[in-house]
Amino acid sequence: MNRPAFRNWQTVQEEVLRRIHAREWKPGDLIPNEADLAEEFGCARATVNRALRTVAESGLLDRRRKAGTRVALQPVAKATIDISLIRQEIEARGQKYGYQLISRSLQEPPAQISGALQVPTTRMLHLSALHLANDAPYAVEDRWINTATVPTALSETFDTISGNEWLLANAPYTHGEIAFSAAAATKEEARLLGCPLHAAVFVIDRLTWDHAASVTKVRLIFAPGHQLRTTL
Amino acid sequence: MNRPAFRNWQTVQEEVLRRIHAREWKPGDLIPNEADLAEEFGCARATVNRALRTVAESGLLDRRRKAGTRVALQPVAKATIDISLIRQEIEARGQKYGYQLISRSLQEPPAQISGALQVPTTRMLHLSALHLANDAPYAVEDRWINTATVPTALSETFDTISGNEWLLANAPYTHGEIAFSAAAATKEEARLLGCPLHAAVFVIDRLTWDHAASVTKVRLIFAPGHQLRTTL
DNA sequence: AAGTGGTCTAGACCACGTC
DNA sequence: ACGTGGTCTAGACCACTTT
């Protein structure tokens, strides 16, 4: 009777993953409960719990009280994307970061913008800027800032620091939405990015909130060829 | 002396998040250690640990042994994207799912494909298919399957089940890469999706592995207007 | 060397959902 | 009603990293 040493939760997790991949536990199968596994592995139930909870978070297991733990029938892959500052993104690749403010104005937003931010039609701060990598256009930032939520933004010129960066340091948010899509470059975007009109560009739209108050809405238009990568 | 009830890790987490948002703990600040917080909150250290670990995973705290726990200077937002089956994606929106196999052949892959899959130049299974939502083109799937890793794929016709779905049920993978980008629709893609040539389309490229063996490489080209959304 | 987070244990009670 | 996962506790030891 060998009692292999499953002494920590990572080891237990590896064994669980192995059994799933090896089809010892098939999709849809009910696996033994925590107490039984703890006994089998010779560790505490809390250790098994930690391992199974982690695997469940990755989508490979479905856990329900009383019903037990099952191998997911159709594992939903979860890709985690780190949304970092554009400056960091560029510097992380060893390139030189550049920033140019294109325009800064107080203006009444189009209905689509004020609707998304759920604010009464009022003047808001509108920024347009260009991010560069090694002096080449990298992305256009088009941002609306809710000055009711972030009044201090009014006294910032944004000519050396991007809205991206200033807000992160000065305007906390509790939650937000993000959307990825493809679009055809507008005339203005094509001019700034130095690409053909209607070129296919990668777009990120983000909307952030501080509790019930909207903070900012930003659209990032990346130069053609940009990819967002991650692992599964 | 009030002893507010921070009796579970979620409550502790909320209080920690409140202090960060309220700038009681500012970016860069060292916060009290687990033992002190446990005493302050009147709970066990393990409970504080669970709360802080969870917050750290979201990117708002940096934790290092001996150095302690600090509020992140530049919180990296982490967006988690669920990569589900296209069929589920469509059905979840209450639309009717449709599938059409366009082509299935054994052929020698272009160098780019065989290079990505790290296989010797050999015949591989190539599938092209169309996914439909309410009878309208939704996405084109272009897939290469490594028949050395998944020989059973050779006996599947794929005329009623997509490669997407069949592989999930029949070919486990341990890890993979995924990339999002924008591209101009090729002639073939435009024809299948019913969109203009060179229209801006959203593209997902995925490459999966079972340990050291490549399983499949797939490119999904979505009809114009497609968005991938999630929350922050 | 010492302080901090990381984890394990054994036992307990609770919450939820199925039966 | 009862079985399962979810969590808390108190104490212990360990691993890492900084001093």
Side-chain angles (χ1 to χ4, degrees):
Chain A
M1 182 94 95
N2 53 353
R3 41 170 51 251
F6 295 117
R7 325 195 92 261
N8 53 38
W9 72 267
Q10 290 97 333
T11 314
V12 173
Q13 186 190 30
E14 280 165 27
E15 173 62 11
V16 168
L17 290 174
R18 191 194 63 73
R19 291 186 185 185
I20 294 174
H21 285 133
R23 295 285 204 267
E24 288 176 25
W25 291 339
K26 301 187 186 64
D29 278 5
L30 190 61
I31 75 173
N33 69 29
E34 294 188 347
D36 290 348
L37 286 174
E39 193 184 354
E40 177 187 346
F41 292 147
C43 66
R45 182 166 79 94
T47 305
V48 173
N49 178 276
R50 175 84 189 266
L52 294 183
R53 177 160 42 82
T54 306
V55 176
E57 276 166 11
S58 82
L60 260 67
L61 289 176
D62 279 335
R63 318 195 74 196
R64 270 151 56 214
R65 282 159 147 128
K66 167 69 181 176
T69 301
R70 289 177 183 280
V71 179
L73 271 173
Q74 290 165 153
V76 174
K78 305 212 172 175
T80 302
I81 295 180
D82 287 355
I83 311 291
S84 49
L85 288 175
I86 291 182
R87 181 169 61 74
Q88 292 180 310
E89 211 171 291
I90 291 172
E91 287 173 350
R93 296 189 306 190
Q95 298 185 302
K96 191 185 79 174
Y97 173 71
Y99 170 76
Q100 275 178 23
L101 179 65
I102 305 298
S103 75
R104 176 195 188 282
S105 63
L106 265 173
Q107 60 183 93
E108 205 162 293
Q112 200 191 344
I113 304 290
S114 58
L117 290 169
Q118 292 179 15
V119 288
T121 310
T122 177
R123 283 170 184 275
M124 290 180 58
L125 191 56
H126 181 226
L127 299 177
S128 177
L130 183 63
H131 298 269
L132 304 105
N134 280 351
D135 300 317
Y138 183 80
V140 171
E141 173 177 335
D142 183 86
R143 182 183 296 273
W144 293 87
I145 298 176
N146 185 347
T147 52
T149 309
V150 199
T152 49
L154 289 168
S155 50
E156 172 62 46
T157 60
F158 293 103
D159 51 8
T160 57
I161 185 172
S162 73
N164 199 337
E165 210 152 336
W166 186 88
L167 283 165
L168 201 47
N170 296 277
Y173 66 89
T174 52
H175 62 288
E177 301 166 24
I178 190 164
F180 306 93
S181 59
T186 64
K187 207 169 89 181
E188 175 72 356
E189 289 159 4
R191 186 178 67 77
L192 292 170
L193 294 174
C195 70
L197 179 65
H198 296 159
V201 287
F202 187 74
V203 174
I204 298 183
D205 284 289
R206 203 174 351 168
L207 186 55
T208 57
W209 304 79
D210 185 3
H211 298 99
S214 62
V215 174
T216 188
K217 181 179 190 310
V218 63
R219 172 166 248 225
L220 293 169
I221 300 101
F222 292 85
H226 183 79
Q227 274 196 336
L228 190 63
R229 311 172 131 280
T230 188
T231 56
L232 285 178
Chain B
M1 183 93 98
N2 54 353
R3 42 170 49 252
F6 294 117
R7 325 196 91 262
N8 52 38
W9 72 267
Q10 290 96 334
T11 315
V12 173
Q13 186 189 31
E14 281 166 26
E15 173 62 11
V16 168
L17 290 174
R18 189 194 65 73
R19 291 186 185 185
I20 294 174
H21 284 132
R23 294 287 203 266
E24 288 176 25
W25 290 341
K26 301 188 187 63
D29 279 5
L30 190 63
I31 75 172
N33 68 29
E34 295 187 347
D36 290 348
L37 286 174
E39 193 184 354
E40 178 188 343
F41 292 148
C43 65
R45 181 166 81 95
T47 306
V48 172
N49 178 277
R50 174 84 189 265
L52 294 183
R53 178 162 40 87
T54 306
V55 175
E57 276 167 10
S58 84
L60 260 69
L61 290 176
D62 280 334
R63 318 195 74 196
R64 270 154 57 214
R65 284 160 148 127
K66 166 71 180 176
T69 301
R70 291 178 181 277
V71 179
L73 273 173
Q74 290 164 153
V76 175
K78 306 211 172 176
T80 303
I81 296 180
D82 287 355
I83 312 290
S84 48
L85 288 175
I86 292 182
R87 181 168 62 73
Q88 291 179 311
E89 210 172 292
I90 290 172
E91 287 173 350
R93 296 188 307 190
Q95 298 184 303
K96 191 185 78 174
Y97 173 73
Y99 170 76
Q100 275 177 22
L101 179 65
I102 305 298
S103 74
R104 176 194 188 284
S105 61
L106 264 173
Q107 58 183 94
E108 205 163 294
Q112 199 191 344
I113 304 290
S114 58
L117 290 170
Q118 292 178 15
V119 286
T121 310
T122 177
R123 284 171 184 275
M124 291 181 57
L125 191 57
H126 181 227
L127 298 177
S128 177
L130 183 63
H131 299 269
L132 304 105
N134 281 350
D135 300 318
Y138 183 80
V140 171
E141 173 177 336
D142 183 86
R143 182 183 295 272
W144 292 87
I145 299 176
N146 185 347
T147 51
T149 309
V150 199
T152 49
L154 289 169
S155 50
E156 172 62 47
T157 60
F158 294 104
D159 51 7
T160 58
I161 186 172
S162 71
N164 198 339
E165 211 152 335
W166 186 88
L167 283 166
L168 200 47
N170 297 278
Y173 64 90
T174 52
H175 62 288
E177 301 166 24
I178 190 164
F180 306 94
S181 60
T186 64
K187 207 169 91 180
E188 175 72 358
E189 289 158 3
R191 185 178 69 76
L192 291 170
L193 294 173
C195 70
L197 180 65
H198 296 160
V201 288
F202 187 74
V203 174
I204 299 183
D205 284 289
R206 203 173 351 166
L207 186 56
T208 57
W209 303 79
D210 185 3
H211 298 97
S214 62
V215 175
T216 187
K217 181 178 190 311
V218 63
R219 172 166 246 224
L220 293 168
I221 300 102
F222 292 87
H226 183 78
Q227 275 195 335
L228 190 63
R229 312 172 131 279
T230 189
T231 56
L232 285 178

